[in-house]
Amino acid sequence: MKVLGIETSCDETGVAIYDSEHGLLADTLYSQVKMHAEYGGVVPELASRDHVRKLLPLIRETLAQADLQGSDLDAVAYTAGPGLVGALMVGASTGRSLAMAWDIPAIGVHHMEGHLLAPMLEDEPPAFPFVALLVSGGHTQLVKVTGIGAYELLGESLDDAAGEAFDKAAKMLGMDYPGGPLIAKLAEQGDRSRFRFPRPMTDRPGLDFSFSGLKTFTLNTITAHRVDGVVDAQTQADIAAAFEEAVVETLAIKCRRALQATGLKQLIIAGGVSANQRLRERLAEVVKKERSALFYARPRFCTDNGAMIAFAGCQRLLAGQESDLVIEAKPRWPMDILAKVEQGA
């Protein structure tokens, strides 16, 4: 089955074609980061308009890359949520319309399920069951996964997501948007031992997260080390390193607890923050101690992309699921209410 995947939930326009027999055939991506950086964050209306401009040309480019025509496709998968409603509507209406024109089925895909399944695009994918850490700008969740659609939420952020905290800390240090990769790069030059930042909610039982207090601590540290209104470059790097270490260690502690609580021996990390090298290193130490295995997608498939939507949609389509003619766009959509796909279906 050849499935066209469309991702437009936020500020990336992603298109890909996944073949259930031959794997990923084509993958294209356009990022709006430069446009939104001017405003310090994503502007929903601008994001929607840019998806309108870029989506059809990217679909044509993806088809050409795979040497296919629309008539060669078997189905269309599009991100139905969660995300920015206007951005979602662009992808959903385009995907639904193309499916109707080509007389093939379409399916609305949950954005976070796409992220969760992205490591399965790799040559050595994880097998069910496993613990998944979904960590991005909008979500921080620990999920027990026993199959596609069989998700048990173990813990989540009670306030800011980890990726959002990275972006806000970067802004405090005068960096551009998106700040997560910039913080990580600056942290490489820092002394991780100079400052000791708190590890939120690790001194109590449970698997929930909280990063708002860490933001406040970061701001107070920056304020305390300003001289004539300026923080010197080395201190900025040391603060970035301490902040990154606090977030990474908090995530690592919770992941270890989740593995111990479930008794599972596989951990996957997915979402934009899963590309963070320090997080990967620290979680590799955790799984070694727990005699477990760690899985993640290549960096290109950690951020929003069409390949993960094509793959996730393909799995559900193969199980006989599809969406009706109503265009689905769900800004909020709990993942644990998704229909389960029976293994072997």
Side-chain angles (χ1 to χ4, degrees):
M1 174 178 279
K2 297 181 181 67
V3 180
L4 176 72
I6 297 172
E7 157 61 24
T8 62
S9 65
C10 190
D11 60 345
E12 269 93 23
T13 312
V15 181
I17 298 173
Y18 180 82
D19 187 329
S20 57
E21 294 184 6
H22 302 289
L24 189 64
L25 302 182
D27 171 47
T28 59
L29 184 71
Y30 172 78
S31 176
Q32 303 174 1
V33 164
K34 289 183 180 179
M35 177 178 67
H36 295 293
E38 181 180 348
Y39 303 95
V42 177
V43 181
E45 179 63 23
L46 294 181
S48 303
R49 292 180 182 182
D50 220 31
H51 287 310
V52 171
R53 285 191 290 266
K54 300 297 183 180
L55 184 52
L56 287 178
L58 278 180
I59 291 172
R60 295 189 190 100
E61 180 182 340
T62 307
L63 286 168
Q65 190 181 113
D67 195 22
L68 296 173
Q69 302 292 324
S71 57
D72 297 319
L73 299 173
D74 298 299
V76 177
Y78 59 87
T79 302
L84 302 175
V85 65
L88 290 169
M89 283 296 295
V90 176
S93 58
T94 302
R96 179 67 267 181
S97 299
L98 288 174
M100 187 180 299
W102 292 330
D103 194 24
I104 56 177
I107 188 164
V109 173
H110 193 291
H111 178 74
M112 294 310 295
E113 181 171 74
H115 276 304
L116 188 151
L117 298 177
M120 293 186 175
L121 290 164
E122 301 304 315
D123 292 336
E124 297 182 5
F128 300 113
F130 52 75
V131 171
L133 172 66
L134 302 178
V135 57
S136 65
H139 298 81
T140 302
Q141 298 177 327
L142 276 166
V143 184
K144 179 181 178 182
V145 181
T146 54
I148 297 176
Y151 308 133
E152 178 187 347
L153 182 64
L154 301 174
E156 62 184 336
S157 180
L158 304 180
D159 39 60
D160 290 355
E164 183 182 4
F166 264 104
D167 287 341
K168 290 181 178 177
K171 188 173 183 179
M172 295 175 196
L173 288 168
M175 297 177 178
D176 291 334
Y177 171 88
L182 299 178
I183 281 271
K185 186 174 182 180
L186 182 61
E188 294 175 0
Q189 307 166 30
D191 178 359
R192 299 179 186 277
S193 64
R194 178 179 174 186
F195 298 109
R196 170 71 183 184
F197 281 29
R199 275 60 170 161
M201 295 185 71
T202 57
D203 59 349
R204 66 186 78 176
L207 295 172
D208 287 330
F209 303 89
S210 172
F211 295 105
S212 62
L214 186 57
K215 287 189 314 178
T216 302
F217 192 94
T218 302
L219 179 60
N220 290 340
T221 304
I222 292 170
T223 302
H225 289 82
R226 283 193 178 119
V227 177
D228 296 327
V230 177
V231 179
D232 68 84
Q234 186 57 55
T235 298
Q236 286 192 358
D238 294 344
I239 290 173
F243 173 84
E244 180 183 53
E245 196 70 6
V247 173
V248 164
E249 186 64 20
T250 298
L251 295 172
I253 290 170
K254 298 288 186 170
C255 284
R256 188 174 188 183
R257 286 182 187 175
L259 289 171
Q260 292 172 343
T262 61
L264 298 179
K265 293 300 181 181
Q266 294 185 109
L267 172 68
I268 76 149
I269 53 173
V273 182
S274 70
N276 181 281
Q277 191 59 41
R278 179 57 184 157
L279 177 61
R280 293 184 175 193
E281 292 171 356
R282 185 65 186 88
L283 290 180
E285 296 171 6
V286 167
V287 297
K288 184 176 181 180
K289 290 179 180 177
E290 295 301 314
R291 297 182 179 180
S292 303
L294 177 65
F295 298 87
Y296 43 74
R298 72 199 79 168
R300 179 178 180 84
F301 296 146
C302 291
T303 54
D304 295 350
N305 63 87
M308 68 182 192
I309 301 304
F311 178 83
C314 185
Q315 307 315 303
R316 289 189 171 274
L317 287 157
L318 287 171
Q321 298 181 18
E322 63 179 84
S323 300
D324 57 26
L325 292 176
V326 175
I327 295 173
E328 296 179 285
K330 305 174 182 179
R332 298 183 183 277
W333 190 7
M335 196 169 67
D336 55 5
I337 68 171
L338 294 177
K340 183 178 179 180
V341 171
E342 297 297 332
Q343 295 187 40

